Amino acid sequence: MLSNSYFCLMRKKSRKQIFENIEVIDAGAKGKTIGKAPDGRVIFMTNTVPGDIVDVQTTKKRKSYFEGSAIHFHSLSEKRVTPECKHFGTCGGCKWQHMGYEHQLFYKQREVENNLRRIGHLELPTISSILGSKNQYFYRNKMEFSFSDSRWLTLDELQSDIIFNDKNALGFHIPGMWDKILDIEKCHLQADPSNAIRLATKNFATENNISFFNPRNQFGMLRTLMIRTSSIGEVMVLVQFFENDIQKRDLLLNYLRKTFPEITALLYVLNTKQNDTIYDQEVICHSGRDHIFEEMEGLKFKINAKSFYQTNSEQAYELYKVTRDFAALTGKELVFDLYTGTGTIAQFISKKAKKVIGIESVPQAIADAKENAINNNISNVEFYAGDMKNVFNEAFIATHGKPDCIITDPPRDGMHKDVVQQILNISPEKVVYVSCNSATQARDLALMKEVYKVVKVQPVDMFPQTFHVENIVLLEKI
């Protein structure tokens, strides 16, 4: 007798369809590309480029669309390029590496415009051309890698005759699989010495029988590796341990200190929780400082292991310059910087303002902002910690005054509706809205369009080879 699981499997297989000779006509949200099925429904695909002509096997069927992957390519798009990274297609990052950079910028710009029009229903000025990144690879200043004692084997490896005795991995999670780690030979996102440090860490640990973590069964010593770099040549390395073997821990850390004398801050964390986040953990300095410095226009920013800082330093400078230009400050203005983080924007614009007040929910970030301001001899900034919708209220305005300009740079979810309403209540002459998600930005702007008009729009590409895009909007009172 056939089991119920057999019939479930057959039903799943029967729901899959193959559509032949589908032209990929567009790129959509979250990096997926778009084609049309014979019945007119949209097909969202994951492994194609606009201009490809493919056969698609569906993986999901919904009322108005399908999801699927190309299983055969009849012709390849002229927009295609050869990916730089050998891990492309298996690793979850850099999903647009197979598309020429000029085309990446085109689709990012169009996504911004489509979101502002379709979600926000906004009247828009001419949108400025997206600011591309000078460095299309090796642009990140922070990378986090995970250890595993049972690395992910690719399809080519499984189909080969090779016997893989080394099961250790130090790399990235396979998309959608929290316990599967792809071992990375070379990552094209962070400049050296990042790759050298990662490979040396893995090899030394393997040779010295320092165990790699097993996330499913929660055992093993080495858990994660974080590497941060700065534009002035400073390097932070943080190793997260699950098991506390002091002898082996010191063996590895002393090896890294001696092998890579350029490491400015060598840190570690002992974390026996089920998750590997370090924000509630004690960070211990093994050698060097417990922080590194980043620099921008003569300003120095102290960055510790838990600090937020824009991960593309060079493009962050371009982003902040546009933000400052949009604000067009004269030196007489009171400016509120909402979601200030470690106060980088607030300090960057401070020379052009009478006073800048930053608000942020993370107390440690505010502590960093205050310390950075002191170190930079900036006296016209103040920083306050607390939940934005609770802190940014009438009493706060009564105490600090009504701002002439508000700069807001919220997380991907955008602003809470109460924060939007408070901005409308205050109605400063200008609002500069910096966003890493133009969809939620458009939603918020739609709530403000009776009071404000969109005067300028400037997309900025912070993350080449991905579908992510930042956008800056200048609002002025109607």
Side-chain angles (χ1 to χ4, degrees):
M1 182 178 292
L2 296 175
S3 67
N4 288 336
S5 61
Y6 172 82
F7 288 109
C8 288
L9 179 63
M10 290 300 100
R11 281 197 296 271
K12 287 181 180 178
K13 286 187 174 181
S14 68
R15 288 200 292 266
K16 292 184 177 180
Q17 295 176 256
I18 293 177
F19 298 121
E20 298 181 344
N21 291 298
I22 300 298
E23 181 182 2
V24 184
I25 57 175
D26 204 352
K30 298 183 179 179
K32 293 184 178 180
T33 47
I34 297 170
K36 287 289 186 71
D39 65 1
R41 276 184 283 185
V42 168
I43 311 172
F44 293 108
M45 291 165 276
T46 57
N47 60 338
T48 58
V49 167
D52 288 340
I53 297 178
V54 300
D55 295 342
V56 182
Q57 181 168 347
T58 63
T59 55
K60 289 183 181 179
K61 178 182 179 181
R62 296 291 184 264
K63 185 175 181 180
S64 59
Y65 67 90
F66 297 94
E67 293 184 17
S69 297
I71 56 174
H72 177 72
F73 290 79
H74 293 281
S75 64
L76 298 178
S77 170
E78 293 181 353
K79 297 180 176 67
R80 276 186 173 268
V81 295
T82 302
E84 290 284 334
C85 181
K86 67 171 290 184
H87 303 296
F88 175 76
T90 307
C91 171
C94 303
K95 293 181 184 294
W96 276 6
Q97 251 192 83
H98 57 343
M99 191 191 306
Y101 187 55
E102 69 275 22
H103 303 299
Q104 295 179 32
L105 294 178
F106 171 82
Y107 288 110
K108 291 183 184 192
Q109 171 127 4
R110 200 170 65 174
E111 178 182 325
V112 167
E113 182 170 353
N114 286 344
N115 283 338
L116 295 180
R117 292 191 190 279
R118 295 175 182 176
I119 298 174
H121 304 288
L122 302 166
E123 292 186 16
L124 299 176
T126 300
I127 296 178
S128 299
S129 297
I130 187 170
L131 292 178
S133 177
K134 177 183 176 182
N135 294 318
Q136 293 152 35
Y137 290 98
F138 304 113
Y139 58 81
R140 287 186 66 98
N141 57 38
K142 179 184 178 184
M143 295 295 293
E144 296 178 85
F145 307 97
S146 296
F147 293 90
S148 173
D149 67 351
S150 51
R151 76 177 181 89
W152 176 264
L153 295 177
T154 66
L155 183 60
D156 288 341
E157 289 174 329
L158 290 171
Q159 292 176 343
S160 72
D161 297 327
I162 301 173
I163 298 174
F164 296 94
N165 295 315
D166 180 11
K167 297 294 182 67
N168 287 337
L170 178 53
F172 300 125
H173 289 268
I174 296 293
M177 299 184 182
W178 62 272
D179 62 335
K180 305 299 183 186
I181 304 297
L182 175 69
D183 191 50
I184 299 295
E185 291 184 19
K186 181 179 180 179
C187 179
H188 288 72
L189 285 176
Q190 189 176 34
D192 284 336
S194 178
N195 279 302
I197 292 171
R198 189 190 69 256
L199 294 173
T201 301
K202 183 199 171 187
N203 293 337
F204 185 84
T206 300
E207 291 166 2
N208 289 274
N209 297 313
I210 304 174
S211 59
F212 286 39
F213 191 58
N214 185 302
R216 184 168 290 275
N217 297 306
Q218 297 279 296
F219 65 79
M221 187 168 178
L222 293 170
R223 194 163 188 172
T224 66
L225 173 71
M226 180 177 76
I227 302 174
R228 301 187 83 149
T229 56
S230 78
S231 62
I232 58 175
E234 300 202 342
V235 180
M236 174 187 290
V237 175
L238 183 148
V239 183
Q240 187 175 175
F241 298 98
F242 182 74
E243 296 172 355
N244 188 18
D245 185 323
I246 298 174
Q247 184 177 357
K248 288 186 175 180
R249 182 186 74 211
D250 287 345
L251 183 68
L252 174 62
L253 294 175
N254 286 331
Y255 165 76
L256 290 174
R257 177 176 57 83
K258 293 175 182 177
T259 307
F260 299 97
E262 62 267 43
I263 295 177
T264 313
L266 183 56
L267 317 171
Y268 69 93
V269 166
L270 300 175
N271 181 4
T272 58
K273 298 182 304 172
Q274 288 195 331
N275 66 68
D276 59 17
T277 59
I278 68 168
Y279 294 97
D280 58 349
Q281 301 292 296
E282 180 186 6
V283 177
I284 303 166
C285 181
H286 175 269
S287 58
R289 298 195 231 108
D290 66 354
H291 60 275
I292 60 175
F293 283 105
E294 183 55 272
E295 190 173 303
M296 188 181 294
E297 278 195 358
L299 299 175
K300 275 195 169 185
F301 298 102
K302 178 182 174 182
I303 300 170
N304 62 47
K306 300 178 184 180
S307 295
F308 170 79
Y309 192 85
Q310 289 283 358
T311 51
N312 184 338
S313 298
E314 189 172 77
Q315 280 298 89
Y317 182 40
E318 301 302 321
L319 185 82
Y320 295 164
K321 284 194 294 185
V322 173
T323 301
R324 185 173 61 189
D325 291 345
F326 275 18
L329 304 173
T330 65
K332 300 177 181 179
E333 294 88 357
L334 171 63
V335 181
F336 281 8
D337 181 25
L338 309 186
Y339 311 93
T340 190
T342 55
T344 47
I345 290 179
Q347 294 176 64
F348 189 76
I349 67 169
S350 61
K351 290 181 182 179
K352 300 284 188 178
K354 181 179 180 180
K355 188 175 185 179
V356 185
I357 294 176
I359 308 173
E360 167 62 44
S361 64
V362 181
Q364 182 58 53
I366 289 298
D368 291 343
K370 291 178 178 178
E371 185 174 354
N372 284 329
I374 292 171
N375 292 338
N376 287 319
N377 295 313
I378 298 174
S379 59
N380 65 331
V381 294
E382 294 179 6
F383 296 104
Y384 298 89
D387 187 297
M388 188 65 62
K389 68 180 185 299
N390 298 327
V391 174
F392 183 50
N393 55 27
E394 293 299 327
F396 190 88
I397 304 303
T399 300
H400 299 284
K402 177 182 172 181
D404 303 290
C405 174
I406 287 178
I407 296 172
T408 180
D409 186 5
R412 291 192 62 79
D413 289 342
M415 295 190 289
H416 190 278
K417 65 180 187 301
D418 291 349
V419 177
V420 175
Q421 186 57 53
Q422 181 67 325
I423 293 174
L424 294 174
N425 293 342
I426 299 169
S427 296
E429 291 299 317
K430 295 178 184 176
V431 177
V432 182
Y433 191 147
V434 183
S435 173
C436 59
N437 184 347
S438 59
T440 55
Q441 182 186 46
R443 177 205 66 202
D444 294 345
L445 295 179
L447 299 174
M448 304 171 73
K449 64 183 180 181
E450 299 303 319
V451 178
Y452 288 97
K453 63 179 178 180
V454 177
V455 178
K456 294 181 180 179
V457 180
Q458 177 64 73
V460 181
D461 184 24
M462 302 286 286
F463 304 107
Q465 318 308 331
T466 78
F467 53 83
H468 298 291
V469 59
E470 298 262 342
N471 189 48
I472 311 168
V473 171
L474 170 62
L475 302 174
E476 292 182 355
K477 281 181 68 174
I478 297 173

